Amino acid sequence: MLAKRIIPCLDVRDGKVVKGINFVGIKEVGDPVECAEEYNAQGADEICFLDITATHEGRGTMVDVVRRTAQRVFVPLTVGGGISSVDDFRELLRSGADKVSVNSAAVRNPQLIHDAAEIFGSQCVVVAIDAKKKGDSWTVVVNGGRIDMNIDAIEWAKKAEELGAGEILLTSMDTDGMKTGFDIELLNAVCDVVKIPVIASGGCGTLEHFSEVFQKTKASAALAASLFHYKELTVSQVKEHLEENNIPVRRVD
């Protein structure tokens, strides 16, 4: 089994790290570059920046934050938020991002996935899917959960892979920020229909939630934000717990 990845996520607004519950009621918690350095020291496998206001308010992603982080942090950096063109991909990759995550724009213009994968390679293209339970399946929501696109999330994951996505960042809007555990049912539904790696996001609250997601789903990585921001857990503690449960992880030196 490949080593499972632990990815701290930094939700950024106006250059500051923030964390809310269900994307509402947002609090500031720190400087993104300093937070990224701390996670790097703890043994994070990757770090994810999401500019949570970029799409909503039409603001471009914070290239300066990415550049400063890339100079000081040496694990892969994924950046998303407000990505709407191949030029946005190019700018972020040149600034030091290793992967670019695209969400709303890909839903509205799926060709963007294909074009970015063709120019930069699938390994750079992460399709972020925010999914919300609707009847017997899940629907794709965008703009921080404010708009229901009436697209089946499972079908959209399959299409994203076909178009050239190298990875899916799957957030359950039903569990996000709730600390009740990852959405196992949603993750299994998506993992069953795609071959590319799926990152589990939304709902993690305890060490056991990390081991549970890897024992019960085929997710290749788990992402968390508030747990790490508020120092309730460290990446090192999560990895120790996973090792104790015979789940392979990259060791922290």
Side-chain angles (χ1 to χ4, degrees):
M1 192 193 294
L2 288 172
K4 300 296 188 179
R5 293 171 290 147
I6 301 301
I7 306 175
C9 179
L10 297 159
D11 291 342
V12 180
R13 183 181 65 174
D14 301 329
K16 292 283 188 186
V17 176
V18 295
K19 184 60 193 168
I21 296 175
N22 284 5
F23 283 69
V24 191
I26 289 163
K27 307 172 184 174
E28 282 190 10
V29 294
D31 173 67
V33 183
E34 288 177 10
C35 288
E37 282 189 295
E38 172 63 26
Y39 295 147
N40 187 37
Q42 289 177 19
D45 296 295
E46 298 180 20
I47 291 166
C48 181
F49 277 141
L50 287 178
D51 187 340
I52 60 169
T53 50
T55 306
H56 178 44
E57 294 171 11
R59 200 184 290 123
T61 312
M62 58 303 166
V63 171
D64 179 56
V65 169
V66 175
R67 190 174 286 119
R68 288 189 292 120
T69 304
Q71 288 167 353
R72 290 157 62 175
V73 171
F74 305 104
V75 294
L77 187 59
T78 298
V79 185
I83 311 302
S84 59
S85 67
V86 164
D87 286 341
D88 291 338
F89 270 82
R90 184 177 288 110
E91 184 176 34
L92 286 166
L93 293 169
R94 279 182 176 165
S95 300
D98 297 278
K99 306 177 192 177
V100 175
S101 169
V102 63
N103 189 333
S104 308
V107 176
R108 296 187 173 104
N109 174 26
Q111 183 68 22
L112 177 59
I113 301 171
H114 172 270
D115 293 349
E118 197 156 80
I119 296 166
F120 307 112
S122 289
Q123 79 285 348
C124 294
V125 182
V126 179
V127 173
I129 300 175
D130 293 342
K132 196 172 181 65
K133 187 77 175 172
K134 190 176 186 180
D136 294 331
S137 191
W138 292 265
T139 187
V140 174
V141 293
V142 298
N143 291 69
R146 285 179 283 269
I147 301 171
D148 180 352
M149 298 301 288
N150 291 310
I151 294 169
D152 183 88
I154 313 306
E155 292 303 315
W156 173 232
K158 284 164 64 175
K159 185 173 181 183
E161 179 179 43
E162 288 164 10
L163 287 165
E167 195 163 42
I168 287 171
L169 169 52
L170 183 63
T171 301
S172 167
M173 297 303 291
D174 300 301
T175 61
D176 187 67
M178 304 306 287
K179 297 192 177 178
T180 51
F182 291 103
D183 193 329
I184 302 297
E185 188 186 7
L186 169 63
L187 283 159
N188 278 326
V190 171
C191 289
D192 283 349
V193 299
V194 299
K195 294 185 175 70
I196 55 176
V198 175
I199 302 168
S201 167
C204 191
T206 67
L207 285 172
E208 288 71 29
H209 291 154
F210 284 98
S211 47
E212 178 188 47
V213 78
F214 293 131
Q215 287 164 343
K216 294 185 177 178
T217 79
K218 294 176 186 168
S220 63
L223 178 147
S226 55
L227 267 189
F228 296 135
H229 289 340
Y230 298 124
K231 297 184 169 61
E232 292 164 38
L233 289 175
T234 64
V235 175
S236 318
Q237 287 173 320
V238 171
K239 289 194 161 184
E240 281 171 26
H241 170 76
L242 293 175
E243 282 194 314
E244 286 165 8
N245 284 272
N246 300 311
I247 295 163
V249 291
R250 181 179 66 90
R251 283 186 166 276
V252 185
D253 293 331

